[in-house]
Amino acid sequence: MKNTHHDIPSALIEALRNAQRVVVFTGAGVSAESGIATFRDALTGLWSRFDAQALATPQAFREHPDIVWGWYEWRRAQVLRAAPNAAHYAIAALQRHVPALTIVTQNVDDLHERAGATKVVHLHGSLHAPRCSACGAPHVVDDGPATVSSVIGTHAEAHAETHAETRAGSNADTYADTHADTHAASNADEGRRIPPPACTQCGAPVRPGVVWFGESLPSDAWSTALHAAQQCDLLFSIGTSALVYPAAELPQRALAAGATVVQVNPNATPLDAHAHCNLHGAAADIMPRVLAAAFDQRDEGLKGDHAP
Ligand code: OAD
């Protein structure tokens, strides 16, 4: 399919109108315009000398629980402050237009749901469902109004913590650099180390409810996603680098099963060479226009009027 100046190709419009089963497969790029950093963006603040992929591992949590828990709490606070963008609303609106829609996301935020998506398959877990690292008991998180500021910290708190750390020294080995902390913590909005809470059942540290590198995907979520990809007529791959497996297999499975695969991404990915249609641009720009072109609803996805 050809895509000229971001016009939506007529073959895509036809395919979407005729599709019985559609899969929307999303990654961090869908939430980028809600202010949530993707995994390919450089980390900032306290986290700027860390590699996201090194922090998202069981080993990092074992060795440096306060750094990893602090990072996830900082990301969770970002999500609590964020709002769905036009891409989330357009994707949720697809529910009303296609007979069967399965939304499969690698994202650990809840912005699809907050845009009105009723059923979302989370392949990589959720920031909002921490659990005990030993017994697996769910841990209730406090998402009250004070949470964001308490997680991110105030300038004074961050500064005081930095001085305390500098005095006490740090045993965080490779991750530790008190000079970098002093510099980073001078901005109140840039995160801090937080020890994970203890499980109320067994006392072991609570861990984020996400899938880390080296861990298996939740089997129900994966089998639902795989089944949907293999049965669909049309799959959108939106805002994902298509690099992290097994999730990145989904568009390939859909292609192998004969589905039309459409990619939405401002940058090139390994899927470019295989997708039937590559719409190069921001999801929040393109997805509302896809909906409008296919279903003739000009303001589809732009108003956010389907939010709960
Ligand atoms: P990545 O951070 O790897 O890729 C984000 C993609 O979004 C890139 O291809 C960007 O070009 C694209 N992008 C950026 N802004 C966009 C926009 N406004 N509209 C559309 N696309 C945009 O994120 P994922 O592919 O989701 O796993 O990463 C997959 C997994 O790798 C994550 O779930 C995480 C990660 O490391 C784990 O933590 C296990």
Side-chain angles (χ1 to χ4, degrees):
M1 289 182 213
K2 280 203 158 171
N3 172 35
T4 316
H5 303 303
H6 287 175
D7 288 333
I8 309 303
S10 52
L12 164 56
I13 296 169
E14 264 325 287
L16 183 53
R17 285 182 179 154
N18 295 330
Q20 295 300 304
R21 287 184 287 263
V22 175
V23 170
V24 172
F25 171 54
T26 66
V30 167
S31 296
E33 278 157 277
S34 294
I36 313 289
T38 75
F39 290 88
R40 311 292 141 182
D41 293 330
L43 296 183
T44 58
L46 176 61
W47 321 112
S48 59
R49 67 214 142 85
F50 303 140
D51 174 352
Q53 306 212 8
L55 287 180
T57 63
Q59 187 194 1
F61 184 66
R62 268 195 311 275
E63 291 175 2
H64 309 296
D66 56 341
I67 292 177
V68 174
W69 182 259
W71 184 52
Y72 278 97
E73 282 297 88
W74 176 73
R75 289 176 57 197
R76 197 167 68 81
Q78 275 192 331
V79 169
L80 290 173
R81 284 193 304 191
N85 64 53
H88 296 107
Y89 286 115
I91 292 165
L94 259 182
Q95 289 170 158
R96 297 196 302 277
H97 295 291
V98 298
L101 175 71
T102 306
I103 300 169
V104 179
T105 189
Q106 297 164 91
N107 296 344
V108 292
D109 63 49
D110 58 355
L111 296 178
H112 282 302
E113 288 90 341
R114 281 158 59 191
T118 51
K119 194 169 157 256
V120 182
V121 178
H122 281 270
L123 291 181
H124 291 165
S126 163
L127 284 174
H128 304 289
R131 64 177 189 275
C132 175
S133 58
C135 74
H139 176 77
V140 179
V141 291
D142 174 13
D143 282 351
T147 300
V148 173
S149 56
S150 77
V151 164
I152 289 176
T154 62
H155 183 105
E157 278 171 336
H159 212 66
E161 183 186 80
T162 302
H163 280 295
E165 235 172 49
T166 307
R167 276 199 309 273
S170 169
N171 57 5
D173 306 330
T174 51
Y175 291 119
D177 176 341
T178 39
H179 288 299
D181 278 355
T182 305
H183 174 72
S186 65
N187 182 332
D189 204 21
E190 295 190 336
R192 59 192 180 132
R193 298 158 191 249
I194 304 174
C199 172
T200 52
Q201 308 291 310
C202 74
V206 169
R207 59 160 287 175
V210 303
V211 176
W212 281 325
F213 287 98
E215 296 184 321
S216 303
L217 272 49
S219 58
D220 284 1
W222 178 241
S223 58
T224 303
L226 205 50
H227 183 259
Q230 285 167 335
Q231 302 295 316
C232 71
D233 313 301
L234 176 61
L235 180 143
F236 285 96
S237 179
I238 309 174
T240 174
S241 54
L243 289 172
V244 176
Y245 284 81
E249 244 179 68
L250 293 173
Q252 297 171 7
R253 294 293 189 107
L255 282 167
T260 300
V261 170
V262 177
Q263 178 171 234
V264 179
N265 198 313
N267 301 306
T269 81
L271 190 58
D272 283 39
H274 309 287
H276 295 94
C277 172
N278 288 295
L279 300 172
H280 287 298
D285 172 38
I286 289 179
M287 287 314 292
R289 295 203 285 120
V290 168
L291 269 278
F295 305 113
D296 197 25
Q297 300 195 1
R298 290 188 169 278
D299 59 352
E300 193 73 82
L302 293 174
K303 294 184 300 195
D305 52 358
H306 309 301

